[in-house]
Amino acid sequence: MKKRLCFVIPYFGKLPNYFPLFLKSCEANPKFNWIVFTDDDGNYDYPDNVLKVKMTFKECQTLVKSKFEFHVALEKPYKLCDLKPMYGYIFEEYLKEFNFWGHCDVDTIMGNLDKWLSEEFLERYDKLFCLGHMTIYRNSFANNRVFMHRLKDKLSYKDVLSNERIMWFDEEWNNDYNINRIFLDTGKKVFKEDLSLNISYSYNNFVRGKYVGKDNTTMPFGFEIEQMKKAIYIWDQGNLFRIYSEKGKLKKEHFLYMHLQNRPMKMNFSLLYVDRFEVIPDEFIPCRENTITNDNIDGLCICKSWLVQKLFCQRLIRRIKSFFV
């Protein structure tokens, strides 16, 4: 019997400092698998359901180029973002024992995947989700080659592979030729709802940006930015949720995973040995209270992050330096 789902992650260079917490959240999902292709020699404790495959970026380039009969402009690892929808084809030799495959980012913390991604639910779709930080595909010969489909008289994948710059082929963004449009054009069954806790990079606090589609909002790129919530974000024995106050009542909301968008985060390694931890806007910390109440939630929601100001200063410094180059 084939296994349910395997996520493919090629990552070259130094993995994020909180990668061990990512692995911890993977380990809490034993019915799912991950394969990490990397040249990072860090001494990480990979759980049984996460396979590390030692690979250099040059070896990855060679593998990718062997799959196509035309020039592939894969000069830097970041360009791999555009190739995510092609992983089922590129890495097919590693995926034979799985019914579904997917890609996900490592600047994430997994929630309880089995809560949503049951075998019965997955079998309804050929593709799930519309964003690059997690997408899932049915693992079949034909489905893994849908990215080659001609859309509006255009073979987008050839343009993507021949161009060094990022073209957002892997997700719904500022383009009309991404993989999601191609799957819809072929009549494939696509699950489009956003189940992620996708943290916006434009605020010091945690603010969720939710993809709802360009047809359902006037906001740019089809994303709605929620009103800032007075919330506590918790990972508890594989479950990822937030507790927030609304009109004097506490509410609890679960998520498939949390995407931190490369937000700088501090982490104490002692968290690898506890069952619960909090995620605050610039750090992973031990849970401060066993129970969240209306009496203590205000004191727990204090934000000490200066992310937006730091980003502004970095942009300003780069701009000033550019005048002297």
Side-chain angles (χ1 to χ4, degrees):
M1 179 180 293
K2 287 190 175 183
K3 298 179 182 178
R4 188 183 309 183
L5 166 63
C6 182
F7 292 99
V8 180
I9 305 175
Y11 194 100
F12 303 99
K14 182 64 178 174
L15 286 156
N17 66 300
Y18 56 89
F19 182 64
L21 275 188
F22 166 78
L23 292 178
K24 180 182 178 75
S25 72
C26 294
E27 185 177 21
N29 286 283
K31 294 180 181 179
F32 298 83
N33 293 81
W34 284 259
I35 302 178
V36 181
F37 300 89
T38 186
D39 57 358
D40 189 323
D41 287 324
N43 188 25
Y44 301 110
D45 187 13
Y46 285 87
D48 291 341
N49 60 335
V50 182
L51 173 66
K52 175 189 175 182
V53 176
K54 182 69 174 176
M55 179 180 284
T56 66
F57 180 57
K58 186 174 181 179
E59 289 170 334
C60 183
Q61 287 175 308
T62 300
L63 174 60
V64 171
K65 292 177 180 180
S66 72
K67 294 287 184 172
F68 302 96
E69 296 178 350
F70 54 89
H71 173 69
V72 175
L74 179 58
E75 305 305 322
K76 296 180 180 179
Y78 189 60
K79 177 63 180 176
L80 285 166
C81 291
D82 270 339
L83 276 60
K84 287 176 178 178
M86 309 175 196
Y87 288 172
Y89 170 66
I90 295 170
F91 297 102
E92 61 186 345
E93 293 300 316
Y94 294 88
L95 298 171
K96 292 179 179 179
E97 60 180 318
F98 300 98
N99 285 318
F100 288 80
W101 69 271
H103 54 74
C104 67
D105 290 351
V106 292
D107 56 348
T108 57
I109 298 295
M110 297 293 116
N112 184 349
L113 302 189
D114 199 41
K115 182 181 178 69
W116 284 277
L117 305 179
S118 66
E119 292 181 2
E120 294 76 15
F121 177 71
L122 288 171
E123 284 296 337
R124 299 178 199 168
Y125 301 100
D126 300 297
K127 178 181 179 292
L128 297 94
F129 312 128
C130 304
L131 304 177
H133 36 86
M134 181 185 284
T135 304
I136 296 167
Y137 300 86
R138 182 181 300 278
N139 187 25
S140 70
F141 182 91
N143 208 54
N144 291 344
R145 287 156 177 79
V146 170
F147 72 87
M148 300 178 182
H149 173 72
R150 185 181 296 274
L151 177 63
K152 297 180 181 180
D153 293 323
K154 187 175 184 179
L155 292 173
S156 301
Y157 83 100
K158 288 191 173 183
D159 291 339
V160 169
L161 288 169
S162 302
N163 199 317
E164 291 183 16
R165 64 183 179 87
I166 299 296
M167 301 177 71
W168 296 285
F169 184 62
D170 61 318
E171 62 183 347
E172 284 282 0
W173 192 241
N174 190 24
N175 64 77
D176 293 322
Y177 296 94
N178 59 64
I179 190 63
N180 201 54
R181 306 291 177 87
I182 291 174
F183 263 78
L184 292 172
D185 189 66
T186 60
K188 294 287 188 177
K189 295 179 181 179
V190 178
F191 180 81
K192 294 182 282 187
E193 185 179 348
D194 184 1
L195 303 179
S196 71
L197 177 53
N198 187 24
I199 300 301
S200 173
Y201 212 55
S202 301
Y203 302 86
N204 290 325
N205 280 292
F206 284 160
V207 177
R208 184 189 184 195
K210 183 179 180 180
Y211 178 75
V212 297
K214 292 182 180 180
D215 296 335
N216 299 311
T217 183
T218 57
M219 297 296 289
F221 313 125
F223 285 83
E224 287 188 347
I225 305 299
E226 69 178 7
Q227 293 293 317
M228 196 172 296
K229 294 184 183 293
K230 187 185 297 180
I232 308 299
Y233 299 82
I234 296 174
W235 186 90
D236 185 352
Q237 300 181 75
N239 295 290
L240 177 70
F241 56 88
R242 66 179 173 186
I243 298 175
Y244 63 94
S245 178
E246 186 173 272
K247 297 180 180 180
K249 295 184 178 180
L250 292 184
K251 295 188 176 182
K252 187 176 184 179
E253 187 176 13
H254 284 260
F255 295 95
L256 185 66
Y257 64 97
M258 185 176 196
H259 179 225
L260 292 159
Q261 292 203 41
N262 288 315
R263 178 183 282 254
M265 298 287 291
K266 291 177 281 188
M267 186 203 81
N268 190 306
F269 278 83
S270 64
L271 296 181
L272 299 178
Y273 307 101
V274 301
D275 292 332
R276 304 172 71 239
F277 58 82
E278 281 184 49
V279 191
I280 62 175
D282 62 353
E283 191 174 2
F284 300 95
I285 63 173
C287 285
R288 293 166 289 173
E289 296 284 351
N290 290 326
T291 305
I292 308 300
T293 67
N294 276 316
D295 293 329
N296 64 23
I297 193 169
D298 283 351
L300 297 172
C301 289
I302 297 173
C303 176
K304 298 180 181 180
S305 173
W306 291 88
L307 174 68
V308 174
Q309 290 76 9
K310 290 176 183 176
L311 293 174
F312 173 78
C313 289
Q314 289 171 4
R315 288 195 297 268
L316 182 61
I317 291 171
R318 286 197 298 268
R319 194 163 191 176
I320 292 173
K321 286 182 176 180
S322 68
F323 287 118
F324 298 96
V325 176

